[in-house]
Amino acid sequence: HHHHHHHHIESAMTTSSLHVEQPLDSYLRDEKKMYTRSESFVAAKKAIEVNDKELLKAVGLKDQPFVTQVLSPTYLRATLVFMVASFATNFYVVSISTELADMQIYSAETQHELARSFTVIMATGAFISIPIGWLIDQIGVEGCTFVTLITGQLQMLMLIFGQDNILCFTISFWIYTLFRQFLYPVYISSLTSRLGFKYFGVLLGIGFGLGGIAQLFLYPLDALVQGDCRIQEENEMEAEECDNGSWTQLHVIQALLLLVLWLVPLLDYQEKRQREQKIKDVLSEELSTTYGTSSD
């Protein structure tokens, strides 16, 4: 059996015509890509064959039982980022008109204009999903998680420092749209790339469900943050003092929270490096036993 396997590898190596026939972008051409896609499978298969549970876990989560997947730090981290970010994006939709009214910088007319342009930009921005999908393929999920968090922070910075400038406000709408469009593809691909498709549907459903439960706090938070300036204006009370709400503080808190979440892509990246190293080890072991050079 060993000899036959050895012969098979050799013949595959000598047929260089195989290389030429592959399309330019094929995984069969690029050894680096080929390694990450298929060799994790080979390593997992080997772990299953020798019935080494610890090794199988080290190689990746794709073959793990459901409970292991759902409780894995990998899944919980991705879902945490998704929950925070989807709450943030939905909260902004809920609270933008309240915030504009509380700020008392713009006329009612301008506030309506801004709210309308926000809606239009958000709808137009849906097409950004296409380049975002391409970017995930190019730089990977970890990098894109990082970009997602940064766009969320940029939007906050624009709101903190550019409130009284209509152009800044409009730019912040574009950044918000980017943030929103990154969120879903990044969450979905972080599940597929690390946990595979074994329980993908349920894992995604649980994540969306948790995101949905978090939405219950949208209106209480809105009520907590808002001031009373616009209410006094409606009653036409000539009050010297009115409360503009704690919007800026909220934006600062959100920016800092997203900063703390930078830990997630960093931990993910570290985990990915360890996993790939483990796969390399398993495969080099596999090769040495195939060629019969190993002493055991």
Side-chain angles (χ1 to χ4, degrees):
H1 168 72
H2 273 210
H3 178 72
H4 172 72
H5 194 65
H6 168 68
H7 178 70
H8 169 70
I9 286 180
E10 210 169 48
S11 66
M13 281 161 81
T14 48
T15 17
S16 53
S17 63
L18 175 76
H19 245 33
V20 185
E21 288 160 13
Q22 300 314 325
L24 283 174
D25 260 354
S26 164
Y27 285 108
L28 293 171
R29 263 181 186 244
D30 183 343
E31 261 118 47
K32 285 212 308 292
K33 280 184 178 173
M34 196 167 164
Y35 149 68
T36 49
R37 286 294 160 113
S38 59
E39 308 219 341
S40 61
F41 170 76
V42 176
K45 187 163 165 278
K46 188 187 176 196
I48 291 170
E49 277 167 11
V50 296
N51 201 12
D52 185 339
K53 286 205 167 61
E54 282 311 301
L55 177 63
L56 186 60
K57 221 174 199 163
V59 163
L61 286 160
K62 293 184 180 185
D63 290 291
Q64 292 299 312
F66 176 69
V67 176
T68 310
Q69 286 197 5
V70 97
L71 297 178
S72 65
T74 312
Y75 177 69
L76 297 174
R77 283 198 301 264
T79 305
L80 177 67
V81 170
F82 174 73
M83 283 174 73
V84 172
S86 73
F87 183 86
T89 52
N90 288 319
F91 182 75
Y92 195 66
V93 175
V94 166
S95 66
I96 179 171
S97 52
T98 322
E99 181 175 2
L100 282 169
D102 269 348
M103 277 164 33
Q104 290 200 300
I105 295 173
Y106 303 112
S107 67
E109 186 69 29
T110 313
Q111 288 178 35
H112 282 298
E113 290 285 305
L114 280 168
R116 195 177 306 126
S117 74
F118 174 63
T119 315
V120 171
I121 288 171
M122 200 163 69
T124 320
F127 290 106
I128 300 175
S129 289
I130 301 167
I132 286 172
W134 175 84
L135 195 66
I136 292 172
D137 288 339
Q138 292 306 306
I139 68 170
V141 181
E142 295 78 21
C144 284
T145 305
F146 198 58
V147 176
T148 308
L149 296 170
I150 287 176
T151 49
Q153 287 169 306
L154 277 177
Q155 184 214 352
M156 292 301 105
L157 291 174
M158 294 298 278
L159 292 175
I160 293 164
F161 297 110
Q163 287 187 319
D164 39 13
N165 180 328
I166 289 197
L167 179 66
C168 278
F169 236 111
T170 313
I171 292 171
S172 83
F173 294 161
W174 279 108
I175 298 172
Y176 165 85
T177 302
L178 201 58
F179 181 38
R180 193 185 175 91
Q181 293 307 117
F182 257 99
L183 181 60
Y184 291 89
V186 164
Y187 181 55
I188 291 170
S189 49
S190 66
L191 296 189
T192 56
S193 65
R194 299 177 192 137
L195 298 149
F197 289 99
K198 197 175 174 188
Y199 302 107
F200 169 68
V202 186
L203 292 173
L204 186 64
I206 292 171
F208 281 174
L210 290 171
I213 290 171
Q215 313 299 312
L216 289 172
F217 299 99
L218 288 174
Y219 291 99
L221 182 63
D222 187 44
L224 187 72
V225 176
Q226 67 188 21
D228 56 14
C229 289
R230 41 173 222 300
I231 297 151
Q232 294 199 6
E233 231 168 51
E234 282 163 21
N235 302 344
E236 311 221 338
M237 280 164 57
E238 283 298 315
E240 282 86 67
E241 286 294 308
C242 76
D243 173 16
N244 287 104
S246 342
W247 297 102
T248 304
Q249 291 92 310
L250 185 70
H251 296 326
V252 171
I253 289 169
Q254 184 181 323
L256 291 174
L257 187 56
L258 293 175
L259 184 65
V260 173
L261 288 177
W262 280 16
L263 274 170
V264 170
L266 290 171
L267 288 167
D268 285 336
Y269 184 68
Q270 188 189 4
E271 191 180 74
K272 183 182 172 185
R273 290 272 302 273
Q274 289 169 347
R275 191 172 61 235
E276 290 184 350
Q277 190 50 53
K278 193 75 189 168
I279 292 169
K280 268 208 173 90
D281 296 347
V282 172
L283 289 164
S284 59
E285 233 172 78
E286 171 91 314
L287 282 173
S288 65
T289 50
T290 305
Y291 285 121
T293 47
S294 138
S295 50
D296 42 73

